[in-house]
Amino acid sequence: MQPSAIVERGCRAIEVLIEAGDRYGGLFPSMLDLKTHDMLMEMPPAIPGQRNTDRAPRGANLIHDEAVLKTMVALDRPGFQDAADRYLRRFATHCTDTVSGLFPWGEHAFWDLVEDRPGNGYAVNNPDSPQGLTHDHLRAAPLWLWEKLYAFNPRCVERFGEGLDNHWSCRDPLEYIRHGYIDRIEPWLSKSSSCDFPRHSGFFMFDWAFGFTKTGREDFLGQIQKMLDYWWEKRRDDGLLWSESRTTPGVHLDGVVAVGQTLFLAASLLEAATLLEGSRPALAAEMRHRASVYIEGFLNIPHDPDRGIFLYGFRPGTNLSEWASVIWGSVYGSSPVSYVALTCLCVYRMTSDARLLDWAAAAGTRYVDEPFPGDVAVPAMDAGMGLGLLADLYDITGEDRWLDGGLCRAEELVSIYFGDCDLPRGAAGISWYESQMGPSFLLHGLARLALLADGPERCPLGADYTGR
């Protein structure tokens, strides 16, 4: 399959998304029929490993769509950039005026396109759920996205920074949680486990750093310092962090070391430091130092790439092979290897630490060689981020094995996810498009790989490192 044909398949899918979004102010419906391209009014059953509370029936979710919007902005196709701007303008000016300022996006909230209001993911699973509208980042919000939102509505970005205060919980000693109330202004009610995943603290610090660069608000800097110290004081001797600082004994995260999340936090710290180094050089230097400790922790544990053991987390004293991340077929709580490998490349670009490139290359070899399972509903995210990894390895190293292997894999994945349809299915073997499963990453990965085939220096589409 020629690279130009791959680009055309992706562009046709984007055209369908734009046409579907025309009915909803430019926002893309999360669930679409593959044949009619209409929004599904009834939610299909979840695939294995998917939670209904994470889905967006009759809704749109900006965090789900970020990678395809990035692709649209980069591609030189009539109407694509305008459509991306229309989506983001609609979101920034119409969907962000919440009580707390936190956005209805991410893991448990979305924008309901039928009722034209924030949608509650918990109510999707149980209409009688007592849980209110809940913010969770789900993934990193990148700089380009914040710049766009600020351009369309500066106040929504500032209010979001204020609303992040809701992620501190009602507990002494100080504790934060990855969840925050959208529909009220108050700290989160503390529960039996802290749920203070390390990666989320990095998301918040980057958000506040961007907010500070635009507003000069010193309270945002205070929030950054408080969050910066939070995990630093709880780190293990080897520099790694725990999945939660306070876990209910016997539950699945009890005593689990957060290997991938430690690296994710380091990536966010380095990105935030870049934003702050001009105005707050001492704080930026502190962020970089702490990031370096976390990176060493990540690299110095017994990953075993030759045996396919890439650790996202592990419980000390157990068989490490039981904790290996998957190549294909991620489920909730078990991310694909590409999540960590792409973050290795993100950090490599900021540090030039060759060990991170080696780690990512070992994972890339798996994405070239590992057979695609014929009996698993592999989410489109796994396929897309796998292609994104091979594309970025080629961009960084110039080695043809990554381009050749990626293009061969891309042809296979186009057949699996598209078939004779214009839209990709949300997961292998299912009969609908669904944004929560990650087709945004698939469209980005296909486009970037094919565009790089024309020469890295001419590729207008950069890597997407939000999957962390």
Side-chain angles (χ1 to χ4, degrees):
M1 190 174 190
Q2 293 298 312
S4 59
I6 294 174
V7 172
E8 290 306 317
R9 291 303 296 265
C11 286
R12 176 55 190 147
I14 290 171
E15 290 170 352
V16 172
L17 290 175
I18 293 172
E19 291 164 4
D22 284 343
R23 307 167 206 171
Y24 304 102
L27 302 179
F28 299 162
S30 177
M31 300 177 189
L32 292 166
D33 185 283
L34 291 180
K35 298 297 185 182
T36 68
H37 306 158
D38 292 331
M39 182 168 72
L40 298 180
M41 301 307 288
E42 298 294 331
M43 185 172 67
I47 64 171
Q50 183 186 33
R51 305 186 305 176
N52 279 336
T53 55
D54 300 343
R55 305 171 77 186
R58 302 193 303 174
N61 193 318
L62 174 52
I63 289 290
H64 295 176
D65 295 329
E66 176 274 330
V68 72
L69 291 168
K70 177 185 178 78
T71 306
M72 292 164 62
V73 170
L75 288 173
D76 184 21
R77 292 297 176 103
F80 278 18
Q81 290 196 32
D82 287 345
D85 282 349
R86 184 185 181 200
Y87 183 123
L88 294 170
R89 183 184 296 107
R90 174 71 172 179
F91 183 84
T93 61
H94 186 74
C95 307
T96 60
D97 189 20
T98 64
V99 174
S100 68
L102 293 174
F103 298 163
W105 68 0
E107 189 167 47
H108 297 305
F110 55 94
W111 189 260
D112 189 310
L113 295 173
V114 174
E115 299 188 12
D116 199 32
R117 61 173 177 80
N120 185 340
Y122 289 105
V124 169
N125 193 55
N126 176 14
D128 298 322
S129 172
Q131 184 60 62
L133 283 168
T134 300
H135 178 260
D136 181 293
H137 241 295
L138 181 61
R139 290 187 282 268
L143 178 61
W144 80 266
L145 182 59
W146 281 123
E147 292 282 11
K148 283 282 189 179
L149 295 174
Y150 187 82
F152 292 130
N153 184 358
R155 180 58 181 148
C156 84
V157 173
E158 185 173 10
R159 291 195 69 237
F160 184 89
E162 295 168 352
L164 288 174
D165 192 61
N166 274 7
H167 284 280
W168 297 107
S169 63
C170 293
R171 191 173 179 85
D172 186 19
L174 181 70
E175 192 171 275
Y176 79 88
I177 186 170
R178 68 188 181 99
H179 292 155
Y181 296 120
I182 296 175
D183 53 356
R184 66 192 87 163
I185 301 176
E186 60 185 68
W188 191 267
L189 182 63
S190 181
K191 297 184 178 180
S192 56
S193 295
S194 57
C195 207
D196 51 354
F197 298 173
R199 68 191 186 102
H200 289 72
S201 64
F203 300 161
F204 304 153
M205 282 187 280
F206 183 83
D207 298 342
W208 278 315
F210 178 80
F212 172 75
T213 66
K214 296 300 185 182
T215 67
R217 289 182 53 159
E218 292 291 331
D219 59 323
F220 287 174
L221 288 182
Q223 292 276 36
I224 290 171
Q225 188 65 59
K226 186 164 61 169
M227 191 65 78
L228 182 63
D229 293 339
Y230 186 91
W231 277 110
W232 186 248
E233 296 165 356
K234 298 176 175 64
R235 72 190 187 283
R236 289 161 38 104
D237 291 341
D238 59 6
L240 289 169
L241 306 173
W242 299 102
S243 294
E244 297 176 312
S245 66
R246 182 177 55 83
T247 304
T248 303
V251 302
H252 68 291
L253 289 179
D254 184 17
V256 174
V257 181
V259 179
Q261 290 202 52
T262 300
L263 182 69
F264 298 169
L265 173 54
S268 294
L269 287 176
L270 292 173
E271 290 175 338
T274 299
L275 296 181
L276 296 173
E277 60 189 351
S279 59
R280 293 295 188 274
L283 178 57
E286 186 179 12
M287 288 177 153
R288 288 199 170 94
H289 166 67
R290 295 186 183 187
S292 70
V293 173
Y294 295 144
I295 293 166
E296 287 299 319
F298 169 80
L299 289 167
N300 289 330
I301 65 164
H303 301 284
D304 192 346
D306 292 338
R307 294 175 54 211
I309 298 177
F310 301 89
L311 296 175
Y312 183 78
F314 72 98
R315 184 176 287 116
T318 61
N319 185 347
L320 292 184
S321 64
E322 299 175 359
W323 297 88
S325 296
V326 299
I327 304 298
W328 311 111
S330 64
V331 297
Y332 178 78
S334 177
S335 300
V337 172
S338 54
Y339 245 54
V340 180
L342 271 167
T343 306
C344 282
L345 295 182
C346 172
V347 176
Y348 169 76
R349 287 182 181 272
M350 294 184 282
T351 65
S352 299
D353 190 325
R355 296 172 297 172
L356 294 164
L357 179 58
D358 291 343
W359 201 103
T365 299
R366 291 282 170 165
Y367 279 95
V368 171
D369 297 337
E370 189 95 1
F372 192 91
D375 58 348
V376 177
V378 177
M381 177 185 73
D382 298 21
M385 292 188 69
L387 292 177
L389 172 61
L390 298 177
D392 211 31
L393 283 167
Y394 175 64
D395 189 30
I396 289 171
T397 68
E399 296 176 11
D400 288 339
R401 60 175 173 145
W402 303 124
L403 180 63
D404 295 341
L407 290 174
C408 182
R409 182 65 82 181
E411 182 171 4
E412 176 189 18
L413 295 176
V414 166
S415 175
I416 290 170
Y417 286 92
F418 285 83
D420 61 354
C421 298
D422 290 330
L423 281 173
R425 57 199 81 242
I430 69 171
S431 60
W432 69 95
Y433 172 97
E434 184 170 348
S435 67
Q436 192 273 337
M437 300 178 189
S440 181
F441 287 112
L442 179 58
L443 294 172
H444 172 273
L446 286 168
R448 185 156 197 259
L449 188 67
L451 291 168
L452 282 168
D454 190 40
E457 70 282 354
R458 291 186 292 277
C459 180
L461 180 58
D464 188 285
Y465 297 128
T466 61
R468 59 176 190 257

